[in-house]
């Protein structure tokens, strides 16, 4: 059914009037290129926008991560300051010594049981530590709180905004557990939620480090905490530029910061977004709530935090869509204008054709005396001129038809006569051979027998096919007959594999080459001429080398011969009736294709090598 439908559509187009065909052609020629250009422009522009967005966003992410990395590095440097402030270390040692004694004595740490001397000691320790903490906290802008703990978890702190953790004991246990195996290096902890003494929930990320004395013995712990508001300005600026949403996660997949602050401290390690953002940097597309997004991510080599920006594709292609709509509007306008011009042109072009069709209908009715009025010199005028010449030629052909019929009958009679003559020759040669045998002239009988075989093979249908074995047998008979005429002057050697005996081949391809060598390459200075046929297998074809050790030919003659064989002219027989090398070359190319044929190589005094290329075994000819 599908084939019939396609044929029906094609028939409808083919049966259209010339005017409609021209309109259809104009429409296709105008619409297809414009549509193609519009689509390519849209895709190219869209791809360019997205590529530039990815590159630009990656730079912005890297800049933002560099800022965050620098901030965290400053926090780490701040966390290392107690190691260089003796006042802090001495007071921590005093605090540890005091609480160690209290534990040994089993005393209570409550303020009600403190003696005046203990109260003064603890107040001195607190002032000594917290005074230095305030100094440390003022070094870096944006730091939220700095906590210092002694070896027993007693905390000393300074907070710029007055917001202090209410869960200091739990936080200390967590931090000390995480840093117990460290050697004093700073550890970074992602965003954590906590409740401040102002009864508000806050989010902060923390740098924690052990405090050691001069002998590298741990005497306490410092935690430098920064509110996520320090990231907010940079992330907001990034979102405004990219029109997307940003997400910062640590190496474990916990959200450090997100634009909507709805995923803070959430573990997204099993989400598709986090798993696709593998590697240090890259980009990928996904769809969330039927909205396609472009996700661009990059990682920090210092913190292993990763920033992921999700940008709606609609935002990227907003300007592209405007360009597309403008292009479509311009395209439709051009098409409408072009159709109007096409209607006028098609009518002007088809009007003379319509007049010619009317004249042709008169000719079809038998009126050969009509004439087309040629008014222009364009193609229509030339067509009308040729139409008038055609009618004149038709009238002349009608007069010549009887002479052509007579010539045709005469040619048929000659063809019948030429068909009879070979049989008459065969019968006559057979009678002569029998007479020679009866007269005991064996040599003459053999020569006549060989000649009969040659004539029967060569005068049969040359366009028919034969086998390799029969073709080479014909060559042997020919050389044998040459040696009868010139006793022992030619020595033939054939080296063709037996598996090629049944190889299908057209007739008379080797003998004309051997004949050419015998008559044109014979060197009178040599007592015997060596002829050889050798087969060579290649990957794509069979190469037959027909060599002789005759006089050869110079370069000019060789070039002339090879050039003559490549000319596209009908094969001709030579004057003496033999089939020449050019005939062989053109018949091979006609049957097997332009990749096959004859190539001649020769040097004066060194003989000639004719290379005949044929298809491999089981090859089918181009023409049957």
């Amino acid at each position: 059914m599908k084939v019939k439908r396609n044929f029906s559509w094609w028939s409808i187009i083919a049966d259209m009037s010339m005017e409609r065909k021209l309109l259809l052609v104009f429409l296709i020629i105008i619409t297809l290129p414009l549509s193609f250009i519009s689509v390519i422009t849209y895709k190219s522009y869209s791809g360019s926008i997205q590529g530039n967005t990815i590159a630009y966003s990656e730079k912005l992410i890297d800049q933002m991560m560099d800022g965050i990395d620098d901030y965290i590095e400053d926090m780490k440097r701040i966390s290392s300051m107690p190691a260089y402030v003796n006042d802090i270390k001495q007071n921590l040692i005093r605090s540890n010594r005091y609480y160690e004694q209290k534990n040994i004595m089993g005393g209570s740490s409550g303020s009600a049981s403190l003696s005046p001397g203990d109260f003064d000691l603890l107040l001195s320790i607190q002032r000594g530590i917290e005074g230095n903490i305030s100094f440390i906290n003022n070094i870096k802008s944006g730091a939220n709180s700095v906590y210092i703990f002694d070896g027993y978890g007693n905390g000393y702190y300074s907070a710029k905004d007055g917001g202090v953790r209410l869960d200091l004991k739990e936080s200390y246990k967590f931090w000390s557990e995480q840093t117990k195996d460290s050697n004093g290096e700073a550890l970074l902890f992602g965003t954590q939620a906590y409740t401040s003494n102002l009864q508000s929930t806050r989010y902060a990320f923390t740098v924690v480090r052990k405090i050691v004395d001069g002998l590298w013995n741990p005497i306490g712990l410092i935690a430098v905490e920064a509110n996520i508001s320090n990231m907010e300005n940079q992330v907001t600026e990034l979102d405004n530029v990219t029109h997307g949403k940003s997400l910062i996660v640590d190496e474990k997949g916990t959200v450090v910061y997100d634009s909507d602050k709805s995923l803070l401290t959430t573990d997204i390690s099993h989400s598709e977004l986090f798993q696709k953002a593998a590697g240090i940097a890259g980009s990928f597309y996904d769809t969330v709530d039927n909205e396609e997004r472009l996700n661009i991510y990059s990682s920090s080599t210092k913190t292993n935090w990763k920033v992921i920006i999700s940008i709606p594709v609609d935002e990227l292609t907003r300007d592209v869509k405007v360009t597309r709509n403008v292009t479509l509007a311009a395209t439709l306008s051009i098409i409408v204008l072009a159709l109007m011009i096409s209607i006028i042109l098609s009518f002007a072009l088809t009007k003379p054709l319509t007049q010619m069709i009317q004249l042709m209908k008169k000719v079809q009715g038998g009126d050969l005396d009509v004439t087309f009025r040629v008014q222009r010199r364009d193609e229509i005028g030339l067509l009308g001129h040729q139409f008038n010449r055609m009618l004149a030629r038709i009238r002349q052909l009608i007069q010549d038809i009887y002479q052509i019929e007579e010539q045709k009958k005469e040619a048929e009679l000659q063809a019948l006569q030429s068909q009879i003559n070979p049989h008459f020759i065969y019968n006559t040669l057979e009678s002569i051979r029998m007479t020679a045998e009866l007269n005991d002239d064996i040599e003459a009988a053999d020569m006549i027998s060989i000649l009969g075989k040659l004539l029967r093979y060569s005068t049969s249908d040359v366009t028919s096919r034969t086998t390799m074995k029969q073709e080479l047998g014909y060559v042997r008979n020919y050389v044998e007959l040459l040696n009868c005429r010139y006793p022992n002057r030619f020595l033939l050697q054939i080296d063709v594999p037996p598996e090629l005996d049944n190889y299908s081949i057209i007739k008379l391809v080797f003998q004309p080459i051997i004949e050419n060598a015998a008559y044109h390459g014979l060197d009178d200075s040599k007592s015997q001429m060596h002829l050889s046929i050798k087969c060579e297998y290649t990957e794509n074809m069979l190469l037959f080398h027909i060599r002789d050790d005759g006089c050869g030919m110079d370069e000019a003659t060789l070039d002339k011969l090879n050039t003559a064989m490549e000319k596209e002219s009908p094969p001709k027989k030579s004057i003496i009736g033999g089939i020449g090398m050019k005939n062989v070359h053109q018949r091979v190319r006609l049957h097997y294709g332009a990749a096959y044929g004859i190539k001649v190589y020769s040097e004066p005094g060194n003989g000639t090598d004719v290379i005949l290329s044929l298809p491999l075994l089981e090859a089918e000819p181009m023409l049957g």
Side-chain angles (χ1 to χ4, degrees):
M1 296 298 292
K2 185 176 181 180
V3 174
K4 291 183 178 180
R5 190 181 296 113
N6 290 340
F7 179 76
S8 177
W9 278 107
W10 176 250
S11 299
I12 293 174
I13 295 175
D15 294 338
M16 284 183 178
S17 64
M18 184 63 67
E19 184 176 352
R20 292 184 178 180
K21 285 180 182 178
L22 287 174
L23 287 174
L24 181 61
V25 169
F26 288 149
L27 181 63
I28 293 175
I29 291 177
I30 295 170
T31 303
L32 287 182
L34 289 177
S35 302
F36 180 77
I37 292 173
S38 299
V39 171
I40 294 299
T41 302
Y42 174 74
K43 290 186 176 180
S44 177
Y45 187 34
S46 177
S48 176
I49 290 294
Q50 296 182 28
N52 292 336
T53 300
I54 292 174
Y56 184 58
S57 299
E58 287 178 348
K59 290 182 179 180
L60 292 179
I61 292 174
D62 291 340
Q63 291 176 2
M64 186 185 74
M65 289 303 298
D66 288 342
I68 295 176
D69 288 346
D70 291 341
Y71 190 88
I72 293 175
E73 287 298 316
D74 289 342
M75 291 174 63
K76 290 181 178 180
R77 282 190 286 270
I78 290 174
S79 69
S80 67
M81 292 187 68
Y84 304 100
V85 180
N86 289 327
D87 197 14
I88 294 178
K89 292 195 291 184
Q90 292 300 325
N91 282 293
L92 285 175
I93 293 173
R94 291 171 62 195
S95 178
N96 290 333
R97 187 181 300 119
Y98 170 77
Y99 286 106
E100 181 181 3
Q101 291 176 357
K102 295 289 288 184
N103 290 336
I104 293 174
M105 294 174 62
S108 174
S109 60
S111 60
S113 62
L114 292 176
S115 63
D118 291 341
F119 183 81
D120 293 338
L121 175 62
L122 293 177
L123 183 60
S124 173
I125 293 173
Q126 182 178 1
R127 288 176 177 175
I129 294 177
E130 291 185 353
N132 286 285
I133 292 177
S134 298
F135 171 75
I136 293 174
N137 202 12
N138 289 325
I139 292 177
K140 178 66 177 175
S141 62
N144 185 43
S145 302
V146 177
Y147 303 94
I148 293 180
F149 301 90
D150 62 13
Y152 293 91
N154 299 288
Y156 307 92
Y157 51 82
S158 172
K160 286 187 177 181
D161 57 359
V164 180
R165 285 177 177 264
L166 293 180
D167 59 345
L168 276 180
K169 291 185 178 180
E170 290 77 8
S171 298
Y172 171 75
K173 290 180 181 180
F174 172 74
W175 290 333
S176 61
E177 179 67 24
Q178 296 296 321
T179 59
K180 67 179 180 178
D181 296 327
S182 67
N183 295 320
E185 66 272 11
L187 300 181
L188 174 64
F189 295 93
T191 301
Q192 294 177 326
Y194 68 91
T195 302
S196 71
N197 56 357
L198 301 178
Q199 299 301 318
S200 61
T201 301
R202 301 190 178 188
Y203 297 90
F205 56 95
T206 313
V207 172
V208 180
R209 185 194 297 266
K210 282 183 180 180
I211 302 175
V212 295
D213 59 12
L215 299 177
W216 290 93
N217 295 316
I219 59 175
L221 188 73
I222 182 172
V224 181
E225 191 172 67
N227 196 286
I228 60 170
S229 60
N230 295 303
M231 299 181 183
E232 188 170 2
N233 293 335
Q234 298 184 61
V235 173
T236 301
E237 181 181 356
L238 181 63
D239 290 345
N240 290 336
V241 173
T242 60
H243 304 288
K245 299 293 183 181
S246 299
L247 187 70
I248 303 177
V249 295
D250 60 18
E251 68 273 16
K252 295 181 180 179
T254 302
V255 177
V256 176
Y257 185 86
D258 70 299
S259 299
D260 298 328
K261 298 180 183 179
S262 60
L263 298 175
L264 289 173
T265 72
T266 304
D267 184 5
I268 63 168
S269 58
H270 299 291
S271 67
E272 184 179 1
L273 177 67
F274 182 78
Q275 292 177 355
K276 283 186 175 181
I280 298 176
S283 61
F284 61 91
Y285 290 89
D286 68 352
T287 302
V288 176
D289 297 332
N290 296 324
E291 181 183 54
E292 187 178 10
R293 304 184 307 178
L294 170 62
N295 300 285
I296 307 167
Y297 63 92
S298 182
S299 304
S300 169
T301 57
K302 295 180 179 179
T303 62
N304 291 326
W305 288 1
K306 185 172 293 182
V307 179
I308 306 174
I309 303 178
S310 297
I311 306 172
V313 175
D314 289 340
E315 289 289 337
L316 293 177
T317 58
R318 178 180 298 173
D319 294 337
V320 180
K321 290 179 179 178
V322 174
T323 303
R324 178 196 61 188
N325 295 335
V326 173
T327 303
L328 287 177
T331 301
L332 291 176
S333 301
I334 294 173
I335 290 175
V336 172
L337 179 62
L339 284 178
M340 295 175 62
I341 298 175
S342 300
I343 293 173
I344 298 173
L345 289 177
S346 61
F347 178 77
L349 291 174
T350 56
K351 183 178 180 180
L353 291 177
T354 303
Q355 296 175 354
M356 185 173 292
I357 290 174
Q358 294 174 354
L359 294 178
M360 287 182 177
K361 289 181 179 179
K362 292 183 179 180
V363 173
Q364 185 178 2
D367 186 2
L368 301 179
D369 294 329
V370 299
T371 301
F372 181 81
R373 295 179 58 186
V374 179
Q375 297 177 342
R376 300 185 183 94
R377 295 184 179 181
D378 58 1
E379 286 77 1
I380 300 297
L382 293 175
L383 183 61
H385 180 69
Q386 294 298 326
F387 175 76
N388 294 334
R389 292 187 60 185
M390 180 190 69
L391 290 179
R393 181 60 178 164
I394 290 175
R395 291 190 291 267
Q396 181 65 36
L397 288 175
I398 292 175
Q399 297 176 1
D400 297 340
I401 189 69
Y402 298 105
Q403 297 178 1
I404 294 175
E405 287 296 326
E406 291 178 359
Q407 293 175 359
K408 182 178 178 181
K409 291 180 180 179
E410 184 178 354
E412 289 176 351
L413 291 175
Q414 291 178 355
L416 290 174
Q417 183 65 32
S418 64
Q419 184 68 26
I420 296 173
N421 287 339
H423 293 285
F424 175 76
I425 293 173
Y426 303 152
N427 295 333
T428 303
L429 287 175
E430 183 64 19
S431 299
I432 296 173
R433 185 184 68 82
M434 293 298 297
T435 301
E437 286 188 358
L438 291 175
N439 293 330
D440 295 329
D441 193 348
I442 303 301
E443 183 178 359
D446 290 341
M447 292 174 61
I448 295 172
S449 176
I450 295 172
L451 180 60
K453 293 178 181 179
L454 292 177
L455 288 174
R456 186 177 300 275
Y457 187 88
S458 61
T459 57
S460 62
D461 186 4
V462 180
T463 62
S464 64
R465 302 171 68 83
T466 184
T467 63
M468 180 66 70
K469 184 177 181 180
Q470 292 175 336
E471 180 69 9
L472 294 176
Y474 177 71
V475 174
R476 289 188 180 95
N477 289 331
Y478 177 75
V479 174
E480 186 176 352
L481 191 62
L482 282 178
N483 282 323
C484 291
R485 182 178 179 184
Y486 307 100
N488 298 323
R489 190 67 187 274
F490 300 95
L491 178 62
L492 175 64
Q493 180 182 0
I494 298 178
D495 184 10
V496 177
E499 58 265 23
L500 293 177
D501 285 350
N502 294 323
Y503 179 84
S504 179
I505 188 174
I506 58 177
K507 284 186 175 182
L508 299 176
V509 292
F510 293 110
Q511 183 271 336
I513 302 174
I514 294 293
E515 179 181 0
N516 187 78
Y519 282 97
H520 299 286
L522 186 61
D523 191 350
D524 294 332
S525 63
K526 297 180 181 179
S527 60
Q528 193 174 49
M529 185 178 190
H530 293 81
L531 303 171
S532 66
I533 300 176
K534 183 177 181 180
C535 177
E536 175 188 355
Y537 281 90
T538 66
E539 184 178 356
N540 300 318
M541 62 182 68
L542 296 174
L543 298 181
F544 291 88
H545 294 264
I546 301 96
R547 295 189 177 95
D548 66 75
D549 60 353
C551 59
M553 65 185 80
D554 55 32
E555 184 176 356
T557 304
L558 179 64
D559 291 341
K560 183 178 180 181
L561 175 60
N562 284 320
T563 302
M565 285 195 297
E566 294 299 327
K567 290 183 178 180
E568 295 292 339
S569 58
K572 296 180 180 180
K573 290 189 176 182
S574 63
I575 297 176
I576 60 175
I579 301 176
M581 291 176 62
K582 181 176 180 180
N583 180 284
V584 175
H585 176 70
Q586 294 189 353
R587 285 194 298 119
V588 168
R589 296 186 67 178
L590 177 65
H591 281 77
Y592 301 113
Y596 307 98
I598 289 176
K599 190 69 176 179
V600 183
Y601 300 90
S602 180
E603 293 182 1
N606 292 327
T608 302
D609 183 9
V610 179
I611 299 179
L612 170 64
S613 57
L614 295 175
L616 293 173
L617 289 173
E618 306 301 330
E620 292 294 333
M622 292 180 64
L623 297 175

